[in-house]
Amino acid sequence: MTQTLKRRLAALELATDGVLTPLSGGDSGAGLWRVDGTTPCIVKQDSPQRVAGEADGLRALGDVCRDLIVPAVLAEDGDLLVMEALDGTGPRDAAALGAGLRQMHRDSREAGAEHGWPRDNACGLTPQPNASLADGRVFQRERRLLPLVRLCREQGLLDAALAERIERLAESLESWLPDVSPSLVHGDLWSGNVLFTPTGPAIIDPAIYRHYPEVDVAMLTLFGGPGDAFFEAYWNGERPADWERREALFQLYPLLNHLYLFGPGYLGSVSRVVDRVLAG
């Protein structure tokens, strides 16, 4: 594999002098290598559809991010994605992450834009449908919650009672969640997809679309928390009064995805966030 990969990189005029080091591909199961040479880079091998989706996401984020670093796409060739390698050994700067994410969400907000994205992509191993809808509440229901409920039911991971509660929650969104102009969101912004480089925070492995910006903030708090300095910089005095309810809502989709991918260990977490949303 190494020699084949080196030949492909040479054909792309990239990394011909580099040493290839295998890396963990994470939950996606993709092949992943670091190449240390004249131009250090990360090489990912995955399905052509997933490669195209990730490359599209990196380019879109790179176009709008001024204060967050996004790895440049160096080459895209079928099932191969070559990206700029980033140094993740910088100091943790939660305030810079909060300010950078705020800038990204603010500057990408478009009045009259629809929620979604021109192409489907993936969140982890799960296909992510992004066909656009004008109303964000409808998008959250029809493109995020209900498809995952159906997938989990088909796998026997959700009982009828909990599925019915989620469906009821999804149908109630118009009663409390305001419709807003969408922002570009990273879409899978857990802590493992944030790097702190010597020149500032960076974001990697996107699953982008346009939607409520709280999607990214809720994902950052799902398996821990980015800290008070992050929130002070991100909210900048504009924290929504119903943030706790929105946080629970926007954690439901990734938790359903984890339930679908990794099994019943996530069932309790799904039930708890449903309780939080329905309690208001």
Side-chain angles (χ1 to χ4, degrees), residues 22-268:
L23 304 172
S24 168
D27 296 330
S28 71
L32 200 64
W33 298 265
R34 180 183 173 96
V35 184
D36 289 297
T38 303
T39 304
C41 58
I42 299 296
V43 181
K44 180 179 284 190
Q45 188 171 39
D46 208 337
S47 72
Q49 294 82 6
R50 290 172 61 84
V51 163
E54 182 169 352
D56 176 54
L58 290 171
R59 293 185 181 110
L61 290 173
D63 286 344
V64 73
C65 286
R66 293 199 322 268
D67 301 326
L68 295 176
I69 297 165
V70 180
V73 175
L74 303 179
E76 178 189 346
D77 181 40
D79 64 345
L80 216 59
L81 177 62
V82 186
M83 300 164 282
E84 174 189 11
L86 300 179
D87 178 357
T89 63
R92 179 181 175 83
D93 191 340
L97 176 62
L101 193 63
R102 176 181 173 84
Q103 173 271 315
M104 180 188 109
H105 289 155
R106 182 191 63 228
D107 291 358
S108 65
R109 186 177 298 122
E110 293 185 15
E114 294 197 333
H115 295 250
W117 195 245
R119 68 185 306 151
D120 293 343
N121 46 37
C123 191
L125 282 170
T126 307
Q128 182 166 262
N130 290 326
S132 296
L133 289 166
D135 190 309
R137 287 84 55 96
V138 180
F139 183 89
Q140 180 65 203
R141 178 168 55 247
E142 300 296 333
R143 302 287 187 261
R144 293 294 175 261
L145 299 181
L146 296 186
L148 261 296
V149 168
R150 287 192 288 269
L151 287 173
C152 289
R153 286 286 285 155
E154 289 169 2
Q155 296 297 316
L157 295 166
L158 273 181
D159 61 39
L162 183 53
E164 188 278 330
R165 294 181 73 229
I166 299 171
E167 291 165 357
R168 177 158 49 91
L169 176 159
E171 294 297 337
S172 74
L173 295 180
E174 284 87 346
S175 69
W176 66 273
L177 184 66
D179 193 23
V180 300
S181 297
S183 297
L184 182 67
V185 297
H186 176 283
D188 192 17
L189 198 62
W190 68 291
S191 60
N193 285 339
V194 176
L195 298 177
F196 290 97
T197 80
T199 55
I203 52 178
I204 62 173
D205 292 345
I208 65 162
Y209 53 102
R210 293 189 179 278
H211 201 34
Y212 291 84
E214 291 94 339
V215 163
D216 285 338
V217 186
M219 191 68 185
L220 276 173
T221 66
L222 185 55
F223 301 115
D228 291 342
F230 167 86
F231 286 109
E232 290 172 9
Y234 182 81
W235 294 127
N236 195 28
E238 298 178 353
R239 180 179 182 268
D242 61 351
W243 159 240
E244 287 82 4
R245 193 178 193 187
R246 294 189 191 205
E247 178 186 43
L249 170 66
F250 293 122
Q251 287 178 346
L252 181 54
Y253 169 64
L255 283 172
L256 284 168
N257 191 34
H258 276 67
L259 176 64
Y260 175 65
L261 291 174
F262 306 120
Y266 287 93
L267 190 59

